[in-house]
Amino acid sequence: MDNIANKKILLIISGGISAYKSLEIIRLLKKHGATVKCILTKSAKEFVTPLSVTSLSQEKVYDDLFSHESESKMDHISLSRWCDLILVAPATANTISKLSTGSSNDLASTVILASNKSIFLAPAMNVRMWEHPSTKENLQKLKNFGYQVIGPEIGDMACGEYGEGKMTEPLNTINYLNEYFQNIKKNKKFKALVTAGPTHEYIDPVRYISNKSSGKQGYEIAKSLNKNGFQTTLISGPTNLDKILGVNLISVNSAEEMFNATLENLPADVAIFSAAVADYKVKNKEKEKIKKGENIDLSLEKNIDILSHISNHNSLRPKIVIGFAAETNNLDKNSKIKLSEKNCDWIIANDVSDSSIGFNSDFNEVSIFYNNMKKEKLPKMEKSLLADKIVKKVISQLN
Ligand code: CTP
């Protein structure tokens, strides 16, 4: 637990029966050398008293957004700047719902909205509430912003039912935070660059050529790099995905813009080229909207291959260069050709002919081809999990 020592933790306790476990979280954090300040929501005070919290934390307890004393010191800003991270434990269904809409009608939600720090949620609720599609959707939204979720666990609940929704045990929560601080310490010196999404190659001001890429896999990789402590830049073509807190997002349209943004953001220790860059651009892009007439011929010219350019560059090449291969046939053969022609350390290949994986899906099934000619086939899994696996491999290679 060495990594907890001297850290500043802001613990937000929301109103659920598991709030009693939050007292143990405070005790353990203090035992391992952290400073802990706590915010209690209005309903949390029905479950634990400010007196217990202040006695254990040895700090003032914060609870009211509109007190003269607190607001003269701008608590909602100063608390979010003071801490190294924010832990919401328990995070009730109501708190998760409020946070997912950006609500800020009390100190807890305002501090989170104003925060520039990593946010961890330890959900706790009845199994039916946990399984409700609205809770799932709200939590997914928060995950997309880069919030990290600890648990919940499966077991007997205070309400007498059994299932998933129990707040993770305090010791496991502390272990999770300890590992987070350890990763930050180990990886904060590393710079990562990720390209994601499709590119739009304009024909005229309103029409373009593009492809089906959603950008999801690249965004998940950027999210995972960020939570593992990397200084992460994400160069993204047009997508519908949320901005990830803590990641430097550069939005581009065309392959040419993506190439320029990539050059501007090197050097990096690792570059992961997950974008589905359009291979061609329109040769003579019209300045005005083309009027409907007879058939037209579009003349296309090749775009620069960003991955190839960088990985074959003497001075710009990052230590680890990872490319993707989207294939509908001859996956092994084509991936191996890309691995060698594009001078990559690994190629992550997926079969995009199956619509349950790859483009637009939340799932992916890939094979990784390494430059030592080894191949690793991974089972179908969520893109977020695959991202974590890829980042874990990157970390072990860099260290
Ligand atoms: N790539 C790139 N710049 C391009 C084209 C591709 O950086 N102009 C990168 C992609 O980000 C990916 C890898 O090259 O990491 C392979 O992309 P893919 O579309 O599978 O292959 P292509 O090289 O475009 O070849 P083809 O379309 O013929 O399969």
Side-chain angles (χ1 to χ4, degrees), residues 189-207:
K189 58 181 182 288
F190 295 130
K191 269 187 74 181
L193 184 146
V194 181
T195 67
T199 61
H200 287 180
E201 307 301 327
Y202 275 85
I203 300 167
D204 69 13
V206 294
R207 303 176 179 102

Side-chain angles (χ1 to χ4, degrees), residues 195 255 273-279 303-308 322-327 338 342 347:
T195 67
F273 294 88
S274 73
V277 186
D279 290 326
N303 267 325
I304 185 160
D305 191 309
I306 308 170
L307 163 59
S308 236
I322 301 172
F324 273 72
E327 306 292 345
K338 281 179 191 167
K342 300 197 184 210
I347 281 279

Side-chain angles (χ1 to χ4, degrees), residues 48-165:
V48 288
T49 66
L51 188 61
S52 333
V53 172
T54 206
S55 308
L56 282 164
S57 67
Q58 297 288 293
E59 296 282 343
K60 172 188 163 186
V61 172
Y62 299 81
D63 57 2
D64 188 356
L65 178 60
F66 301 110
S67 90
H68 294 299
E69 194 206 341
S70 335
E71 277 317 285
S72 64
K73 297 188 200 106
M74 296 285 278
D75 276 350
H76 67 288
I77 303 296
S78 59
L79 280 171
S80 66
R81 299 294 175 271
W82 165 82
C83 63
D84 292 308
L85 65 78
I86 298 179
L87 169 65
V88 186
T92 59
N94 182 45
T95 299
I96 289 170
S97 163
K98 276 176 62 174
L99 297 181
S100 75
T101 61
S103 170
S104 56
N105 64 348
D106 62 4
L107 184 62
S109 53
T110 312
V111 163
I112 290 179
L113 200 64
S115 165
N116 56 353
K117 302 290 160 54
S118 293
I119 295 162
F120 295 77
L121 307 172
M125 66 197 75
N126 165 272
V127 57
R128 298 273 168 265
M129 294 167 82
W130 173 249
E131 285 172 354
H132 198 285
S134 57
T135 304
K136 293 272 175 260
E137 202 177 297
N138 292 336
L139 205 64
Q140 189 54 48
K141 203 165 162 195
L142 294 173
K143 281 186 190 172
N144 291 345
F145 297 154
Y147 290 32
Q148 296 186 54
V149 180
I150 309 174
E153 292 174 359
I154 299 173
D156 292 320
M157 310 200 141
C159 57
E161 292 187 7
Y162 178 87
E164 193 168 11

Side-chain angles (χ1 to χ4, degrees), residues 4-36:
I4 298 276
N6 301 320
K7 291 291 182 293
K8 298 182 207 125
I9 313 285
L10 181 62
L11 174 64
I12 295 181
I13 306 177
S14 63
I17 182 63
S18 334
Y20 78 92
K21 289 189 191 169
S22 312
L23 299 179
E24 178 65 359
I25 292 181
I26 302 172
R27 194 187 70 77
L28 286 171
L29 285 171
K30 293 282 294 177
K31 182 177 155 198
H32 293 291
T35 307
V36 191

